[in-house]
Amino acid sequence: MTDSPATAVLDRDGLDALVKTLIAAGRTVVGPTVRDGAVVLAELDGADRLPFGWGSRVEAGRYRLVPRADGAAFAHTSGPQSWKAFLHPQREKIWDADRTADGALSVTAAPAERPSYAFLGVRPCDLRAIAVQDRVLAGGHYQDSGYQERRVGAFLIAAECTEPGATCFCVSMGGGPAADAGFDLALTEVADDLGHRFLVRTGSEAGEEVLARVPHRPADAWTRSVARSAVDAARERMGRAMPEVDLRALMGDSLDADRWDDVAARCLTCGNCTMVCPTCFCTTTEEVTDLTGDHAERWQRWDSCFDLDFSYLHGGPVRASARGRYRQWLTHKLSTWYEQFGTSGCVGCGRCVTWCPVGIDITEEASALHDELAARLREQERSGGPQRKESER
């Protein structure tokens, strides 16, 4: 956690006042709440809808809510949704086409919605994910106008992580439990003998203006110290870690690894990992018509590289096997994303591990690929030169 020029403390009433202030300013406030046995993101009308007293226990392929005695609101791990669902929605209309009375065709672009969002409880890994999607969808050569409209003016309130889960590995991806940039306000939750409260730091002028309209008190040294210690301790309690190697080189040197067959035997190619991933951005388009044939619409919707038809070209899919599709996803996420966007496509949130039906672990797969490559290199050294596989001859 880093100190910023303006720090304050909110109590639970102050947190509710923050939500009400944002709503009064015309913003749609979205934050975590409990529904259907999970922490999900939904519109909030007050802070009382936050998951106070609930945490989560996660493992590969497993997610369970657990009660907490301290009443914490942000002591849960990431749920199945990310903020991508609001900034880059699952389905979005692109245009309408209508046949006029004289038989001509009229095409009208669907107006891009520009909601005034305020996101409450954004984890540091998700702040990084939003920054990645900004680069892909707003800063790249092919920009998504709908994303840009929704992203402009979105007010981000981070919640620093003090309770990492067993599937979290943000530190090994260059991130961490502290919010260092990309937020308007950052909260660090503290619950001890002095009460339940939230240390607040500002990260923008907009954040300072909002904080000034909310009842608060200056931050005291004890709350600062406790908050800093809790975030620092979380850094040391990550449940998983990527191997400490050059992942870009590892993926490039492992295209023919036997490990791809192992993971393909387990992978259902269901695409869950891409749906819950906060950075995956692939879409397809579809046209729908009414029964008269006089009206048609084009819609953009999420797609997945695990879908057999995702790489369909002139009579068949380019990647017909589960091996090929999983390898495409992992190598793009950890390696070739750099060539396209200058950054990794993984922020270490662990959602793909938690929500995989068969518990495939991206960190385990990367480690296995590294071990296989290291063994192959050792064998080459013993034999005096590179050995080609039978499939390469």
Side-chain angles (χ1 to χ4, degrees):
M1 190 184 80
T2 58
D3 290 329
S4 67
T7 55
V9 171
L10 300 178
D11 58 16
R12 284 187 57 162
D13 290 338
L15 186 62
D16 187 62
L18 173 61
V19 174
K20 299 292 178 56
T21 297
L22 291 167
I23 293 174
R27 292 188 178 273
T28 299
V29 181
V30 179
T33 188
V34 172
R35 189 181 72 235
D36 299 331
V39 173
V40 298
L41 301 176
E43 185 174 347
L44 304 178
D45 55 12
D48 59 334
R49 290 201 61 199
L50 292 169
F52 287 104
W54 288 102
S56 54
R57 183 175 297 119
V58 297
E59 272 296 348
R62 183 177 176 83
Y63 176 98
R64 293 291 185 274
L65 285 180
V66 292
R68 293 180 60 91
D70 59 7
F74 300 112
H76 53 84
T77 55
S78 298
Q81 296 168 294
S82 71
W83 309 96
K84 177 178 77 172
F86 297 90
L87 295 175
H88 182 49
Q90 295 181 21
R91 197 164 182 263
E92 180 180 10
K93 185 188 288 188
I94 305 300
W95 49 246
D96 292 277
D98 291 283
R99 194 185 309 278
T100 62
D102 59 2
L105 193 64
S106 172
V107 178
T108 306
E113 296 182 1
R114 191 172 184 175
S116 182
Y117 279 129
F119 294 154
L120 172 60
V122 184
R123 296 298 189 188
C125 57
D126 280 340
L127 285 176
R128 294 184 66 211
I130 291 172
V132 169
Q133 289 226 314
D134 285 349
R135 187 172 300 184
V136 174
L137 299 174
H141 183 68
Y142 300 101
Q143 299 179 357
D144 186 313
S145 59
Y147 179 88
Q148 289 177 311
E149 289 295 323
R150 288 180 289 272
R151 181 68 178 89
V152 169
F155 191 87
L156 305 185
I157 307 172
E160 296 195 302
C161 183
T162 59
E163 294 286 344
T167 59
C168 295
F169 57 99
C170 63
V171 171
S172 63
M173 293 307 300
D180 294 325
F183 59 85
D184 296 291
L185 295 174
L187 308 179
T188 313
E189 189 169 21
V190 176
D192 59 15
D193 292 341
L194 298 182
H196 191 176
R197 58 205 186 277
F198 305 86
L199 180 71
V200 187
R201 295 181 291 123
T202 59
S204 70
E205 290 185 6
E208 293 176 4
E209 292 171 0
V210 169
L211 181 60
R213 301 199 299 269
V214 176
H216 63 272
R217 61 180 173 85
D220 57 278
W222 175 253
T223 299
R224 285 175 181 262
S225 175
V226 172
R228 183 179 298 108
S229 297
V231 174
D232 288 344
R235 175 175 288 275
E236 306 302 322
R237 301 202 318 274
M238 293 291 116
R240 279 166 167 74
M242 278 288 182
E244 296 182 3
V245 299
D246 184 342
L247 294 174
R248 297 169 65 182
L250 173 63
M251 293 297 111
D253 292 338
S254 301
L255 297 180
D256 295 304
D258 293 332
R259 183 67 182 190
W260 301 120
D261 290 325
D262 180 276
V263 70
R266 293 174 280 134
C267 179
L268 304 178
T269 66
C270 64
N272 262 22
C273 50
T274 59
M275 298 297 105
V276 299
C277 177
T279 65
C280 279
F281 59 87
C282 288
T283 58
T284 188
T285 56
E286 59 186 10
E287 282 77 45
V288 295
T289 62
D290 65 5
L291 293 176
T292 68
D294 291 330
H295 177 79
E297 299 172 355
R298 170 171 285 185
W299 288 79
Q300 175 180 279
R301 62 171 175 82
W302 287 358
D303 203 355
S304 170
C305 54
F306 283 93
D307 189 335
L308 189 61
D309 288 337
F310 182 81
S311 63
Y312 186 93
L313 283 176
H314 305 296
V318 173
R319 290 181 287 274
S321 68
R323 171 193 170 106
R325 299 202 290 282
Y326 188 89
R327 184 179 65 179
Q328 157 65 22
W329 176 70
L330 194 62
T331 54
H332 188 212
K333 187 68 58 178
L334 299 182
S335 178
T336 55
W337 205 295
Y338 281 98
E339 278 68 45
Q340 289 180 284
F341 310 114
T343 183
S344 172
C346 178
V347 295
C349 68
R351 286 184 178 93
C352 62
V353 184
T354 301
W355 296 96
C356 174
V358 293
I360 294 174
D361 180 347
I362 187 175
T363 66
E364 179 183 331
E365 298 310 314
S367 295
L369 289 169
H370 169 61
D371 292 344
E372 181 177 338
L373 178 61
R376 187 190 307 173
L377 293 175
R378 288 194 298 269
E379 179 61 29
Q380 289 176 6
E381 290 177 358
R382 285 195 295 268
S383 62
Q387 299 294 311
R388 291 187 300 165
K389 291 184 177 183
E390 187 67 32
S391 61
E392 300 174 302
R393 294 172 182 168

